[in-house]
Amino acid sequence: MSHKTDRAPLHGVYKQAPLIATYDQKNGGVKTDIIMTNYKSDKNDVPVPLANGSTVPLVEIPSKDEESGEYNPFEHRKLAHPTSDADTLIHLLKGSLGSGILAMPLAFANAGLAFGLVATFLIGAICTYCVHILVKSAHTLCMRRRVPALGFAEVAEAAFLSGPQYLHQWSPFAKSMINLFLVIDLIGCCCVYIVFVSKNVKQVVEVYTETDVDLRIYMVALLPLLIVVNLIRNLKYLSPLSMVANLLIGAGMCITFYYIFQDLPSPSSRDLIVDVTKWPMFFGTAIFALEGIGVVMSLENNMKTPTHFIGCPGILNTGMSVVVFLYASVGFFGYLKYGPDTKGSISLNLEKTEILAQCVKIMIAVAIFFTYSLQFYVPMEIIWKNLKHHFGARRLLVEYIVRIQLVVITVVIAVAIPNLGGFISLVGAVCLSTLGLIFPAVIDLVTFYEDPGMGRYNWRLWKNVLLIGFGAIGFITGSYVSILEIISGESS
């Protein structure tokens, strides 16, 4: 939906005449098990057109007489059901503690006990800091553009519009790139989930049937079930699946820890640090597990007291501290228990002869199957918003066809790349290093380029250059090593 605006330069920034801002509540999380409730804003006695099929009404920007002082976006957020600090913390934990936790022991296998522990906390701190600068940039841009809230992609667009003049023309491109990588990331996660489910089911079936069916057959067998579940268009009917998935994952992890802590070997029996050539695999897997930046703006936009999100200690710091500690614990003790035999999902290492262990695998498989539907919702929304305008009376039929085609594509990709460890690392290296590290640094750099500037000794410039460099190195090396791992896994 386009809006006509009259732009006039004001202190180096293009200020728009009264425009309509959208709440991007569907900007879902990377490697998350959360679906946010759509909070509707007050209509402010103005017409309520819908933007690109969004279920969230548009909000009128304050009139000129309200603009006499500094604009406070938080005062203009009209939410019917704002979330409390406790609610937001719970949502952050739910959104970050996803299936990636099952892959952390494999990450440690590609790093070593000591290096993996240190690097996990380091990557967690860097990811948390990148969320900080993204949210801070969003707050600043909301004040400059005089809008109540911005989604992840809209933050990038607004940043380029508020930056140097020559970057204004690139604002639509910046927004499109965020949405593109979100779609690629979440589609990649869906493919990983298919492999997760199939491998866990295959192990259980083989024990009791004494058969050895190709893993790809299990993936294809999942296709009809995936199609049926993902024809559900209403988020309301998908939300209960999130609760079931969380309960199953929680119970499964408790039982997994029960097995891990039985007869733990000495730390001296494991590598404290492995060969540097394996580090990129660790980076990709750890980023896949830890990075939850996609859900951040939705959480912050729905808070009753959004200033508490990045405060000290703040919701973000508290939540991420818990998340990083849990991921580091699972990775450390999982690798300590199983060593070089650690598999892509820690559940695959559990005893094949014990019924309780087999129940864990089924629980994990069901939980991840439900999580697929929740992850699928976001990329489908982004894609459909850009396609729906081309269809008229048969729009509903076309949407169902697109949904089916997208599910089929994820299964085809999973069948083509059944190497779980390499696949996870590849998704983390390609998508999440860009979304979680590079893009936030670029947004921060562009947002504050002119006001307040780069600071003494250009510290802001060098800080963001280091973040972009770190993300780029992880992107290139992680992708390269992951692809080699996938190829070697296929040939072996």
Side-chain angles (χ1 to χ4, degrees):
M1 180 176 178
S2 61
H3 300 283
K4 294 182 179 180
T5 58
D6 297 328
R7 297 181 179 177
L10 180 63
H11 303 297
V13 178
Y14 276 83
K15 181 181 176 184
Q16 295 181 330
L19 55 84
I20 301 297
T22 64
Y23 284 88
D24 184 16
Q25 310 299 349
K26 296 189 181 69
N27 189 14
V30 173
K31 291 146 328 332
T32 68
D33 299 322
I34 181 176
I35 287 293
M36 296 294 300
T37 303
N38 286 318
Y39 294 107
K40 294 189 176 182
S41 57
D42 291 340
K43 299 180 181 179
N44 296 332
D45 297 323
V46 295
V48 189
L50 298 181
N52 296 334
S54 171
T55 58
V56 184
L58 303 181
V59 180
E60 188 180 50
I61 301 306
S63 58
K64 290 289 184 180
D65 58 331
E66 297 180 72
E67 299 181 4
S68 55
E70 183 175 348
Y71 178 82
N72 185 347
F74 310 137
E75 294 178 353
H76 297 280
R77 291 185 182 179
K78 306 298 184 181
L79 301 172
H81 304 285
T83 55
S84 66
D85 290 359
D87 292 334
T88 304
L89 178 60
I90 292 172
H91 285 317
L92 180 62
L93 293 175
K94 287 173 61 183
S96 300
L97 290 173
S99 57
I101 195 170
L102 300 169
M104 282 306 295
L106 178 64
F108 272 67
N110 289 295
L113 283 179
F115 180 71
L117 200 60
V118 173
T120 298
F121 282 101
L122 178 62
I123 291 177
I126 293 174
C127 290
T128 303
Y129 177 73
C130 287
V131 174
H132 268 278
I133 62 177
L134 174 65
V135 176
K136 184 178 179 182
S137 297
H139 290 174
T140 301
L141 292 167
C142 283
M143 288 189 286
R144 291 181 185 176
R145 311 297 296 177
R146 296 184 178 272
V147 294
L150 293 168
F152 192 177
E154 284 71 28
V155 170
E157 181 182 36
F160 275 69
L161 285 173
S162 298
Q165 176 73 33
Y166 60 87
L167 291 179
H168 291 189
Q169 60 183 327
W170 294 98
S171 58
F173 176 77
K175 179 179 180 180
S176 299
M177 287 299 294
I178 297 289
N179 282 329
L180 174 63
F181 274 91
L182 280 173
V183 169
I184 295 175
D185 168 40
L186 295 172
I187 291 297
C189 288
C190 288
C191 298
V192 168
Y193 292 167
I194 293 172
V195 182
F196 255 113
V197 173
S198 300
K199 285 202 170 186
N200 280 276
V201 172
K202 174 179 167 66
Q203 259 201 8
V204 175
V205 172
E206 286 180 348
V207 170
Y208 296 104
T209 63
E210 297 183 355
T211 58
D212 186 15
V213 180
D214 191 286
L215 179 65
R216 294 175 174 87
I217 302 299
Y218 288 91
M219 297 182 191
V220 174
L222 284 175
L223 182 58
L225 295 175
L226 289 171
I227 289 176
V228 171
V229 174
N230 289 283
L231 288 180
I232 299 174
R233 299 169 58 247
N234 195 325
L235 192 62
K236 175 182 178 181
Y237 301 122
L238 287 176
S239 296
L241 300 182
S242 176
M243 181 179 298
V244 174
N246 287 328
L247 291 174
L248 291 175
I249 285 284
M253 287 309 302
C254 289
I255 300 174
T256 300
F257 268 115
Y258 165 76
Y259 283 103
I260 287 177
F261 285 114
Q262 288 184 357
D263 303 321
L264 267 179
S266 170
S268 60
S269 64
R270 305 296 181 218
D271 293 327
L272 295 181
I273 184 170
V274 302
D275 190 85
V276 68
T277 57
K278 294 185 177 181
W279 292 2
M281 281 287 291
F282 165 80
F283 174 85
T285 307
I287 287 289
F288 176 89
L290 286 168
E291 188 53 71
I293 199 166
V295 75
V296 167
M297 294 315 303
S298 291
L299 291 175
E300 190 275 340
N301 286 345
N302 284 312
M303 285 188 68
K304 182 178 181 180
T305 53
T307 53
H308 293 178
F309 190 75
I310 56 173
C312 186
I315 303 301
L316 177 63
N317 291 337
T318 303
M320 288 303 294
S321 296
V322 174
V323 168
V324 173
F325 175 78
L326 289 176
Y327 274 62
S329 299
V330 173
F332 183 89
F333 290 109
Y335 174 60
L336 178 60
K337 173 71 174 180
Y338 299 108
D341 297 325
T342 303
K343 299 184 184 299
S345 170
I346 189 63
S347 61
L348 298 174
N349 282 105
L350 301 182
E351 296 294 332
K352 296 182 179 180
T353 57
E354 296 194 19
I355 295 179
L356 184 60
Q358 299 300 78
C359 289
V360 170
K361 295 170 187 177
I362 295 299
M363 291 164 64
I364 295 293
V366 173
I368 295 175
F369 177 84
F370 287 157
T371 303
Y372 176 103
S373 302
L374 304 175
Q375 291 282 61
F376 180 86
Y377 186 87
V378 178
M380 180 60 205
E381 281 293 292
I382 295 174
I383 292 172
W384 184 238
K385 283 180 181 179
N386 289 280
L387 292 179
K388 63 187 296 184
H389 306 293
H390 301 292
F391 306 99
R394 297 184 177 181
R395 182 177 295 178
L396 182 60
L397 174 63
V398 174
E399 181 182 352
Y400 282 130
I401 293 174
V402 172
R403 284 178 175 272
I404 293 172
Q405 289 178 338
L406 202 55
V407 172
V408 172
I409 289 172
T410 61
V411 173
V412 170
I413 295 174
V415 168
I417 313 176
N419 185 327
L420 183 57
F423 205 163
I424 289 174
S425 180
L426 182 62
V427 172
V430 172
C431 300
L432 297 171
S433 61
T434 52
L435 288 172
L437 301 172
I438 297 176
F439 288 158
V442 171
I443 289 171
D444 179 77
L445 186 62
V446 174
T447 299
F448 301 106
Y449 184 82
E450 294 179 339
D451 182 18
M454 295 297 99
R456 177 175 291 186
Y457 306 119
N458 290 322
W459 68 268
R460 191 185 304 277
L461 173 63
W462 295 116
K463 172 204 66 173
N464 287 309
V465 167
L466 288 175
L467 289 175
I468 293 170
F470 180 69
I473 291 173
F475 178 95
I476 296 170
T477 59
S479 300
Y480 176 72
V481 174
S482 300
I483 291 172
L484 290 182
E485 170 72 13
I486 291 170
I487 294 173
S488 64
E490 285 293 299
S491 59
S492 60

